[in-house]
Amino acid sequence: MPVDLHRRIDAVWREESPRIIAALMRLVRNLDLAEELAQDTLVTALERWPEGGVPDNPGAWLMAAAKNRALDHLRRDAMLARKHAQIAQELDGVHDELHAAREAALDDDIGDDLLRLIFVACHPLLSRDAQVALTLRLLCGLTTDEIARAFLVPEATVAQRIVRAKRTLGEADVPFEVPRRDELPDRLSAVLGVVYLVFNEGYSATAGEDWMRPALCAEALRLGRLLVELAPKEAEAFGLLALMELQASRTAARTGPDGAPVLLPDQDRSRWDHAAIERGLEALARALRLAPAPGPYALQAAIAACHARAARAEDTDWARIVALYDALQAVAPSPVVALNRAVAVSMHRGPADGLAIVDALAGEPALRGYHLQRLGRGAEARAEFVRAAGMTRNARERGLLLARAEAAAG
């Protein structure tokens, strides 16, 4: 098969496979079987498309082929023989009475198969690691090898997480549905958390040789856009999308020609993606219209927007950022938020005020070194940067911290 054709089929599959698996899951009610049927459909495409050409609407072709495979499977299942007519109708887009009743019982207007699949992949019965692995596998179309390389764990570990997750969901007979309205906020929070975790691993890799993994950011953004499309009344879904768009807008400026990290104050802002900034600001405005009292993602997006609106680093509205961190600390307190607030305070009021906040917090040597350096306490700053470099597993971050140590010593 020509390389270009194989790449095109792969791109189509990554885009369409989540919808296909979700549709099959609704029909066969078994995640393993849905994935198996989907893979069979891909094999059929790989066999037929090189000879007959890629269809004008490849997604529709794949969906029809997958549903036909599901129908064939169900017809072979004697237990479902008496439901052939109902299944055939559903495949044609007509819901039977039981399906309609189930939808009505959800008392919610969100009924898309993909949204159901997202909530299944992020079910609270699963560990966070399992949720991330299953989300990347089902919703992003990544292979176990790609997931393993992204998070620097053995492929066998990822495969085991996915197998155990499917087994857990199957044994618990987890329904393929969107949670009821009163359960939605808690369940949506888990979904948004997993998507943002995927984005963050792409934006600032935990370990390895690369500062960023843009492919993971792109997959998280795709899920974020999907969520706001499927849950258009959820403010925090728009807040998360805004945050990811605004952060991703800086991607091109975050590394130098040699791949070394470039920190925010030193970035060439002309290299920022202004289309992404506009999308982020639009999503933020939508989040604030839906919920005038913003949640954690919308508040973080508002902070990112302050940076995006500043033509130069020195134009940044640090007073506004401190106020936003105050609000964020009130609704979602954490050491990370407190540390980031310390940076904002130091930029707004001076490094001494920032260091006072840092001194009250336990262990973030990199940040402490940053403030000590600004205070002119070079020897102490160098020691803190070296200590921080010894703690990171990311080669690029280690190099950045050691470079700061040298600068502090000078």
Side-chain angles (χ1 to χ4, degrees), residues 275-297:
I277 290 173
E278 288 302 317
R279 290 194 300 269
L281 294 176
E282 182 179 346
L284 176 59
R286 181 73 175 270
L288 296 177
R289 286 197 298 271
L290 288 167
Y297 292 117

Side-chain angles (χ1 to χ4, degrees), residues 311-361:
R312 303 173 302 164
E314 54 266 36
D315 297 332
T316 306
D317 188 348
W318 288 108
R320 171 68 174 159
I321 290 176
V322 170
L324 288 167
Y325 271 120
D326 288 342
L328 184 59
Q329 186 73 7
V331 300
S334 77
V336 173
V337 172
L339 287 167
N340 286 331
R341 179 180 176 276
V343 173
V345 168
S346 74
M347 298 301 295
H348 178 47
R349 302 174 190 161
D353 284 355
L355 185 61
I357 298 172
V358 173
D359 283 340
L361 301 169

Side-chain angles (χ1 to χ4, degrees), residues 126-404:
L126 305 179
S127 69
R128 180 55 65 92
D129 285 344
Q131 290 176 344
V132 171
L134 204 56
T135 297
L136 289 173
R137 181 77 182 90
L138 298 178
L139 278 303
C140 298
L142 272 63
T143 65
T144 52
D145 175 61
E146 288 170 328
I147 299 168
R149 283 190 284 111
F151 288 92
L152 299 176
V153 297
E155 184 177 357
T157 300
V158 173
Q160 191 175 51
R161 286 174 185 170
I162 292 172
V163 168
R164 286 178 176 173
K166 291 179 181 178
R167 185 186 304 131
T168 298
L169 295 172
E171 290 174 351
D173 196 22
V174 170
F176 184 63
E177 62 185 26
V178 176
R180 294 179 182 274
R181 187 175 293 279
D182 58 349
E183 301 172 349
L184 189 58
D186 291 339
R187 294 284 301 278
L188 183 63
S189 176
V191 172
L192 297 178
V194 165
V195 172
Y196 194 39
L197 188 64
V198 171
F199 179 85
N200 274 336
E201 183 59 30
Y203 192 70
S204 297
T206 302
E209 299 296 322
D210 297 320
W211 179 240
M212 295 179 292
R213 293 190 175 91
L216 280 182
C217 291
E219 296 293 358
L221 275 162
R222 187 165 69 84
L223 288 178
R225 292 167 189 146
L226 174 65
L227 279 171
V228 298
E229 179 182 340
L230 302 180
K233 296 182 181 179
E234 297 297 333
E236 276 292 76
F238 281 97
L240 175 58
L241 179 59
L243 175 57
M244 293 191 297
E245 291 278 17
L246 291 168
Q247 288 183 318
S249 71
R250 307 173 197 155
T251 297
R254 292 187 72 229
T255 55
D258 59 351
V262 179
L263 297 182
L264 181 62
D266 304 319
Q267 289 174 13
D268 178 358
R269 300 190 176 208
S270 68
R271 299 187 66 202
W272 286 2
D273 184 342
H274 294 282
I277 290 173
E278 288 302 317
R279 290 194 300 269
L281 294 176
E282 182 179 346
L284 176 59
R286 181 73 175 270
L288 296 177
R289 286 197 298 271
L290 288 167
Y297 292 117
L299 285 168
Q300 291 176 78
I303 292 167
C306 289
H307 294 294
R309 291 185 174 110
R312 303 173 302 164
E314 54 266 36
D315 297 332
T316 306
D317 188 348
W318 288 108
R320 171 68 174 159
I321 290 176
V322 170
L324 288 167
Y325 271 120
D326 288 342
L328 184 59
Q329 186 73 7
V331 300
S334 77
V336 173
V337 172
L339 287 167
N340 286 331
R341 179 180 176 276
V343 173
V345 168
S346 74
M347 298 301 295
H348 178 47
R349 302 174 190 161
D353 284 355
L355 185 61
I357 298 172
V358 173
D359 283 340
L361 301 169
E364 175 53 50
L367 184 59
R368 184 177 173 83
Y370 170 79
H371 284 295
L372 289 168
Q373 185 178 12
R374 291 192 70 206
L375 285 168
R377 291 155 62 178
E380 294 173 76
R382 182 182 185 280
E384 295 292 349
F385 281 128
V386 170
R387 185 152 68 101
M391 295 169 63
T392 182
R393 290 186 293 146
N394 184 281
R396 292 295 186 182
E397 184 177 15
R398 187 182 305 113
L400 173 66
L401 291 168
L402 290 175
R404 281 187 166 273

Side-chain angles (χ1 to χ4, degrees), residues 9-44:
I9 294 175
D10 183 64
V12 170
W13 182 248
R14 290 213 181 197
E15 182 69 25
E16 300 297 335
S17 62
R19 295 176 177 83
I20 291 169
I21 293 172
L24 293 173
M25 179 68 176
R26 171 165 54 86
L27 296 173
V28 301
R29 302 286 166 168
N30 181 292
L31 190 51
D32 274 325
L33 179 56
E35 269 206 289
E36 180 183 334
L37 293 170
Q39 287 298 321
D40 288 345
T41 303
L42 174 59
V43 170
T44 302

